[in-house]
């Protein structure tokens, strides 16, 4: 299928002053599929001194001449990625946490200032004096939030969006794969001057995946949020990737989207073998269990009556450094429920 033309915007600022140069070595690719993080990257994954580094990020070309020293992250997935790459000491602020970090990253993040529980305003961001802002979603960069990307460039601040969250045709992973996740980790490692750390993270995730014995295809509904209208994992995003790696059959895999809204009657009609409940502060797994039991339609489901639930923290439900461990956890929880 032809890839649509990619719109490109050149970002320049006091931080990004060199001509647009391509580093000498491309990050390891996940193949020739257009729109993947690897396809969009021209960053050098060699030693940290290999700057400038240029990436085509969701249609915006970003060049860093030196390793960023004052980083702000928005969303847990990006905060954890920076920490996993050994760069937590360069974080001058985080925002929009989806929950506590994993135990191995918690000490490195314990003293990092929290700018906001949600997306911070531009004033709060500028006060932190970052040279790079890493967003988990494209929507993090808006006039009502930290500011649009070219606006921040005018302030001398580089911006980067997790490639797994790109939405424009030709950039959105379709479907998201672990190759995309690994390419994203490598790309971030090149930008931060931590390519060796990135390779170590990828190797650890691959080793975890290699150790997973997938299940035998039991059906599942991935319930992310919503009550009256459930928001569930669909066919091309992180939930689909995680369920596939775990050997489970996603009931809504035929919906060509990352997540989607459905009716409870659709969930009841599917009669899934197991329900994945995403645990968040605003819609906890406990609340979800209570809602399923209180709704006469869902209360009749065997999965609800037998409490065949798998719980995934919200911060682990998006593309990031937790994904391989999440697959292993899903399989372990499902087997504890008697699923093969």
């Amino acid at each position: 299928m032809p890839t649509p033309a990619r719109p490109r915007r050149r970002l320049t600022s006091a931080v990004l002053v060199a001509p647009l140069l391509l580093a000498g070595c491309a990050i390891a690719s996940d193949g020739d599929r257009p729109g993947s993080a690897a396809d969009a990257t021209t960053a050098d994954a060699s030693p940290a001194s290999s700057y400038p580094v240029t990436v085509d990020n969701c249609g915006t070309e970003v060049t860093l001449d030196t390793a960023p020293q004052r980083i702000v992250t928005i969303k847990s997935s990006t905060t954890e990625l920076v920490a996993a790459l050994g760069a937590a000491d360069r974080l001058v602020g985080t925002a929009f946490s989806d929950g506590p970090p994993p135990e191995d990253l918690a000490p490195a993040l314990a003293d990092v200032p929290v700018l906001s529980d949600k997306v911070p305003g531009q004033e709060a961001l500028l006060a932190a004096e970052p040279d790079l802002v890493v967003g988990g979603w494209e929507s993090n960069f808006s006039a009502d939030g930290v500011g649009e990307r070219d606006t921040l460039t005018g302030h001398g601040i580089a911006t980067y969006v997790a490639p797994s969250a790109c939405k424009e045709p030709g950039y959105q992973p379709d479907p998201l794969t672990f190759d995309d996740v690994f390419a994203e980790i490598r790309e971030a490692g090149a930008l931060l001057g931590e390519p060796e750390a990135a390779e170590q993270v990828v190797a650890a995730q691959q080793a975890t995946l290699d150790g997973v014995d997938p299940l035998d295809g039991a059906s599942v509904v991935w319930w992310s949020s919503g009550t009256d209208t459930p928001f569930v994992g669909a066919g091309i995003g992180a939930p689909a990737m995680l369920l596939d790696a775990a050997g489970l059959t996603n009931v809504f895999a035929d919906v060509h989207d990352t997540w989607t809204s459905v009716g409870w009657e659709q969930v009841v009609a599917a009669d899934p073998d197991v329900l994945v409940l995403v645990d968040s502060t605003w819609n906890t797994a406990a609340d979800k269990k209570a809602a399923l039991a209180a709704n006469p339609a869902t209360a009749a489901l065997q999965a609800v009556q037998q409490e065949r639930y798998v719980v995934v923290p919200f911060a682990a439900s998006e593309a990031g450094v937790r994904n391989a461990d999440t697959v292993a956890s899903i399989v372990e929880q499902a087997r504890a429920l008697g699923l093969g």
Side-chain angles (χ1 to χ4, degrees):
M1 182 176 183
T3 303
R6 295 178 174 180
R8 297 191 179 192
R9 291 176 288 152
R10 174 66 190 281
L11 300 187
T12 56
S13 70
V15 177
L16 314 174
V17 293
L20 184 62
L21 297 174
L22 299 183
C25 301
I27 281 178
S29 171
D30 68 333
D32 296 325
R33 176 168 59 80
S36 69
D39 178 67
T41 303
T42 52
D44 192 338
S46 57
S49 59
S50 297
Y51 286 91
V53 173
T54 296
V55 298
D56 179 1
N57 179 231
C58 299
T60 296
E61 286 183 342
V62 180
T63 297
L64 270 64
D65 290 325
T66 59
Q69 298 301 311
R70 297 183 61 83
I71 305 168
V72 167
T73 53
I74 306 172
K75 296 289 290 177
S76 289
S77 57
T78 59
T79 300
E80 293 171 7
L81 174 57
V82 171
L85 293 173
D89 59 339
R90 289 187 262 158
L91 284 169
V92 296
T94 65
F96 209 159
S97 171
D98 297 312
E103 291 182 4
D104 61 325
L105 300 179
L109 295 169
D111 297 325
V112 178
V114 176
L115 303 184
S116 174
D117 291 337
K118 298 296 182 182
V119 178
Q122 191 168 152
E123 183 177 351
L125 177 76
L126 295 178
E129 300 182 344
D131 54 13
L132 174 67
V133 181
V134 185
W137 296 340
E138 287 185 280
S139 60
N140 295 157
F141 297 101
S142 68
D144 295 333
V146 296
E148 295 179 344
R149 298 184 74 174
D150 44 7
T151 298
L152 294 179
T153 300
H155 290 286
I157 302 170
T159 61
Y160 180 72
V161 175
S164 55
C166 294
K167 288 295 187 182
E168 293 187 34
Y171 288 95
Q172 181 179 35
D174 185 6
L176 180 71
T177 68
F178 269 98
D179 284 338
D180 291 313
V181 175
F182 294 164
E184 183 171 308
I185 293 168
R186 290 185 172 110
E187 183 170 275
L191 286 168
L192 301 187
E194 300 288 352
E196 292 183 2
E199 291 301 330
Q200 292 171 4
V201 172
V202 168
Q205 287 215 19
Q206 186 63 65
T208 298
L209 289 175
D210 290 344
V212 170
D213 180 15
L215 300 160
D216 59 6
S219 63
V220 61
V221 168
W222 178 292
W223 182 14
S224 183
S225 61
T227 303
D228 294 337
T229 302
F231 197 54
V232 302
I236 68 170
M241 177 186 72
L242 298 172
L243 294 175
D244 182 66
L248 290 167
T249 300
N250 182 6
V251 165
F252 297 106
D254 60 342
V255 179
H256 192 258
D257 207 341
T258 49
W259 285 265
T260 189
S261 296
V262 299
W264 282 118
E265 65 277 5
Q266 293 171 270
V267 175
V268 171
D271 192 17
D273 296 314
V274 63
L275 290 146
V276 171
L277 308 181
V278 176
D279 191 32
S280 61
T281 55
W282 59 92
N283 193 191
T284 67
D287 288 342
K288 287 182 169 76
K289 292 176 185 178
L292 289 166
N295 181 334
T298 55
L301 292 172
Q302 288 294 309
V304 173
Q305 293 178 358
Q306 297 178 20
E307 298 187 341
R308 293 200 296 264
Y309 301 129
V310 167
V311 177
V312 172
F314 187 94
S317 69
E318 298 183 313
V321 297
R322 294 200 201 194
N323 289 160
D325 286 339
T326 301
V327 171
S329 174
I330 290 171
V331 170
E332 181 180 7
Q333 291 183 66
R335 285 222 161 89
L337 296 171
L339 299 175

